[in-house]
Amino acid sequence: MSNHNKIRTFQSSATDAKLAVQEFHAEVAQQDMALVIFFCSSEYDLDVLAAEMRHLFAGVQVVGCTTAGEIGPAGYCQHSLSGVSFSEASCVAVSGLLDQLSEFDITRGHDFAQNLLQQLESKAPNPSPDHSFALLLIDGMSGREERVAHALQSALGKITLFGGSAGDDQKFAKTYVYSNGCFHTDSALMVLVNTSLPFKMFKTHHFASTDERFVVAEADPAKRIVKEINGLPAATEYARLVGVDIGEFNAKDFAFPSVIVKIGGTDYVRSIQKANTDGSLSFYCAIETGLVLRVAHGVNLVDNLEQTFDAIRTKIGPTQLVLGCDCILRNLEVSKNGLKDRVMEIFRRNNTIGFSSYGEQFRGIHNNQTFTGCAFGSASGIEAETHDG
């Protein structure tokens, strides 16, 4: 097999930032790299990590973000660096940084996406939706995911966007995306990829909606707060609906039952972060007044994951790479229920590279407790290499 037709993956468990990048570079570096994507713990010295990335990958398009856990050949990890390199034989890619999300408006987002589309069209032989997709990595503490994802997907038309919100190892203080050789906060990055490889975009979650419905009577979408449900204080009414004592709501090990909203006939999970002292509920996604929500109940996460990958392989054959954004709430549930080894085995078998995220985006919609991504099949002349350290 020729040396330049590769997708190479690697995960370094070195806790020293410089050493982790050196190990990563040693395994994924190849001739004519079109794109490098990495996911790293926020525990690293990010200035050192960025400097070493700039040095070793000089002249290469590199993007990434901080995480709440990394996924790679070594499995679910904390304090690791996981990622992938694509050769020019496997894809054409362009990327850009959208900064100052706190001042984001739809027009700026639309112009940003259109500009990247024009760049892709100037480089790619066939930039059609069948051969192209978009990856969004966004500051997970920005609270702007809904607006940004919607604006970018609208501008991209039929090209599917997926992505994840950067994490900071559950400190919930400051998260970063990496673009143009530096880490940035209050920012998002988007990569447009055109490839001849077969690929399949996917979104999955392990929840089913019940018949129990309720209406959001008052909400503050910008702050992701629901104040009233069915005309009553949100926390009290929600506790009654799901049959839980209100006193248990913020107990350390209590996982809030999620809710589901139907958009265009598709179920999307909305997760509750906490009950507030004023009787309101804080969500991880924006919830609007008038929305009809359904109480959700969980189904088997491992079975759901197996079925998802089975369906993907039916479409594109064996997966040589899966780029995945897996909600931190799923990671916590998997750990609590002793399922980590089983989930890691499924991820390894399907060559998954990704991270535990503070939210996931798919086709312009922001989600929680979801696993979303892009799976790549194989084509003649392209092969993958996988390593862990």
Side-chain angles (χ1 to χ4, degrees), residues 213-219 226 228-230 259-263 270 285-294:
R213 302 181 192 186
F214 55 93
V215 178
V216 178
E218 187 182 353
V226 172
E228 290 187 2
I229 290 170
N230 296 339
V259 299
I260 281 176
V261 56
K262 279 193 180 291
I263 302 173
R270 296 287 179 264
C285 278
I287 302 285
E288 296 176 359
T289 301
L291 210 57
V292 176
L293 302 176
R294 299 162 190 256

Side-chain angles (χ1 to χ4, degrees), residues 146 150 203 205 209 259-270 285-288 291-294 360 362-368:
E146 290 88 357
H150 183 267
K203 172 186 78 74
H205 58 76
S209 57
V259 299
I260 281 176
V261 56
K262 279 193 180 291
I263 302 173
T266 301
D267 286 353
Y268 293 91
V269 183
R270 296 287 179 264
C285 278
I287 302 285
E288 296 176 359
L291 210 57
V292 176
L293 302 176
R294 299 162 190 256
E360 305 73 52
F362 192 75
R363 296 192 192 278
I365 296 175
H366 184 49
N367 305 275
N368 305 126

